[in-house]
Amino acid sequence: MYKVAILPGDGIGPEVIKEGLKVLKAVGEKYNLRFEIKEYPFGGEAIDKYGDPYPEETKNGCLSSDAVLLGAVGGPKWDRLEGNKRPEAGLLALRKSLKVYANLRPAVLYPYLKKASPLKDELLEKGIDILIVRELTGGIYFGPKGIEPIDSGFRAYDMEVYETHEIERIAVIAFEAALKRKRKVTSVDKANVLESSRLWRKTVEEVAKRYPEVELEHMYVDNCAMQLVKNPTQFDVILTNNMFGDILSDEAAQIVGSIGMLPSASLRGDKVGLYEPIHGSAPDIAGKKIANPLATILSVAMMLQYSFGEEEAAQDIRKAVERALEEGFRTADLGEGIVLSTEEMGDKIVEYVKG
Ligand code: NAD
């Protein structure tokens, strides 16, 4: 029995989670897996009900589960709240409480989605298969922050802080992942300007000594942003800090077709994990039944793989997604094809998973 906490969240969150759950149930039936599934309020929805984006009940539910599946949080309704009372603060608190420091974001170009990529065909010929390994519980999002009045207005600050052990453990995850892939790690920093990046680089170099079979290169974040659109094929594993990973993974999502395609797993070195699509709550399309559920469905596959060790079930989901795309089924964000609603795409994946 696997215990899964479900946090649908806001905007398109509940819409895509519904489809993810359908697929989880379908593989469960096929492989005789039993799940104890419990839903908890989170984000804006929880603020409305309890005045807290990450209420105690939700926290206890998540901490006592084997895995957490999250939709997305946020929206204009809560945008005027103070920083620590916003839905996004719940997201940071959730990641911190689960201690999931390693965020894995695979950006893969499905051959059938070339047209959805804004890049020229010749740049896509060799395919794109990048794993972004993003540090998730440190750096500027968690460092000292504040705002204070000064004579001419205000002074606001957010501090980027990293300790050796935080860099070391995320680097190990990246090198271990690279061993199972093309054996190349690109560590992205801004070591020409930032002290924290210089420690990052030095620590990554130390870890690299334990992995002589993996090639290590360093790249400044501004160059990496450029290289991703100029020559994405050069990358295998990109290792980077919390903020750079946040930004670069959205860029990577776009070059492989749509942000609606990218799943993620957040891990801490044991079986407990947090799984979520990388996109946000997309208030502009919420309720229109056009959200792409594939990032969430692929996040379910990552959950089966990383938290439950159910490789075959995970692979079934990936194959079903690939088949649906190959046969021309698309959600609106993916461009030309047989356009399906959110629910219809979920049904299609269930149909292919079953058989
Ligand atoms: P977003 O990812 O929600 O949307 C960016 C664009 O991508 C929008 O045009 C949206 O329609 C589109 N999009 C996103 N997901 C899609 C999907 N599954 N299918 C089709 N199109 C999709 O980012 P944003 O607009 O910058 O943020 C909206 C809200 O989400 C904000 O409140 C933000 O703070 C929050 N947010 C939450 C998370 C999270 O919960 N993990 C992540 C990012 C942003």
Side-chain angles (χ1 to χ4, degrees):
M1 176 76 88
Y2 300 124
K3 285 172 87 173
V4 185
I6 305 289
L7 314 181
D10 311 311
I12 63 168
E15 300 171 34
V16 292
I17 281 289
K18 190 169 159 226
E19 304 314 309
L21 276 179
K22 252 193 226 170
V23 175
L24 181 67
K25 284 179 186 154
V27 285
E29 279 163 24
K30 183 168 174 183
Y31 289 94
N32 214 7
L33 309 174
R34 291 178 59 216
F35 301 107
E36 186 187 300
I37 290 171
K38 282 196 187 154
E39 220 173 89
Y40 298 96
F42 187 60
E45 181 208 1
I47 293 173
D48 291 349
K49 277 190 193 151
Y50 304 102
D52 180 353
Y54 188 35
E56 247 349 83
E57 176 206 350
T58 303
K59 187 174 176 182
N60 293 337
C62 291
L63 291 178
S64 61
S65 296
D66 302 313
V68 179
L69 181 65
L70 164 68
V73 296
K77 185 176 175 191
W78 305 282
D79 274 351
R80 289 183 181 278
L81 295 176
E82 264 175 57
N84 62 353
K85 300 202 171 72
R86 289 174 56 122
E88 294 82 353
L91 203 55
L92 298 186
L94 167 71
R95 291 169 179 168
K96 197 79 178 174
S97 70
L98 287 171
K99 300 189 175 73
V100 284
Y101 62 83
N103 185 219
L104 310 188
R105 300 185 154 195
V108 178
L109 176 72
Y110 290 88
Y112 329 103
L113 285 188
K114 274 188 186 164
K115 276 198 182 151
S117 171
L119 299 188
K120 289 182 196 150
D121 279 356
E122 59 257 39
L123 295 176
L124 305 173
E125 260 162 28
K126 292 188 196 147
I128 301 174
D129 182 357
I130 305 170
L131 178 67
I132 298 178
V133 177
R134 168 189 172 198
E135 200 290 325
L136 199 63
T137 53
I140 198 165
Y141 293 179
F142 290 95
K145 60 181 75 220
I147 181 160
E148 57 204 22
I150 53 171
D151 289 346
S152 56
F154 286 91
R155 175 194 291 123
Y157 58 93
D158 302 272
M159 208 184 283
E160 170 88 344
V161 183
Y162 270 112
E163 295 178 9
T164 308
H165 77 100
E166 294 175 290
I167 305 167
E168 205 172 63
R169 65 187 183 183
I170 190 74
V172 167
I173 299 267
F175 281 95
E176 289 290 333
L179 281 178
K180 297 183 197 133
R181 298 170 48 96
K182 292 187 221 124
R183 302 190 166 205
K184 182 177 173 190
V185 170
T186 305
S187 175
V188 176
D189 61 37
K190 188 73 183 164
N192 48 345
V193 179
L194 301 176
E195 202 58 60
S196 53
S197 276
R198 286 192 271 274
L199 178 64
W200 182 278
R201 193 173 276 219
K202 189 166 161 258
T203 311
V204 171
E205 274 170 4
E206 281 304 312
V207 173
K209 289 179 187 159
R210 292 182 236 159
Y211 298 90
E213 47 298 65
V214 178
E215 179 196 345
L216 167 68
E217 71 171 351
H218 299 287
M219 197 177 273
Y220 295 136
V221 63
D222 36 359
N223 185 26
C224 183
M226 188 173 74
Q227 293 298 330
L228 271 171
V229 288
K230 197 175 162 201
N231 178 14
T233 307
Q234 69 182 290
F235 295 106
D236 179 23
V237 175
I238 291 180
L239 161 66
T240 193
N241 71 15
N242 204 340
M243 181 163 69
F244 297 161
D246 193 0
I247 298 166
L248 293 175
S249 55
D250 271 27
E251 189 186 355
Q254 195 51 58
I255 64 172
V256 299
S258 166
I259 196 164
M261 290 301 300
L262 250 72
S264 82
S266 304
L267 308 168
R268 63 178 198 207
D270 61 14
K271 289 211 167 286
V272 175
L274 166 65
Y275 301 87
E276 54 180 312
I278 77 153
H279 61 73
S281 58
D284 53 336
I285 58 165
K288 294 188 179 163
K289 304 181 193 267
I290 58 170
N292 184 347
L294 293 178
T296 306
I297 290 170
L298 290 166
S299 300
V300 168
M302 291 187 93
M303 177 167 84
L304 288 160
Q305 178 186 355
Y306 289 105
S307 279
F308 307 147
E310 300 287 349
E311 293 283 346
E312 214 176 318
Q315 199 52 26
D316 258 15
I317 295 178
R318 292 192 191 104
K319 279 194 194 140
V321 168
E322 200 158 340
R323 182 171 160 201
L325 296 173
E326 185 179 4
E327 292 184 2
F329 296 108
R330 304 279 184 270
T331 40
D333 55 310
L334 297 176
E336 287 167 31
I338 309 158
V339 177
L340 303 181
S341 68
T342 308
E343 195 175 347
E344 286 165 341
M345 183 57 98
D347 290 342
K348 188 56 71 187
I349 304 303
V350 166
E351 180 191 329
Y352 290 167
V353 160
K354 282 184 174 165

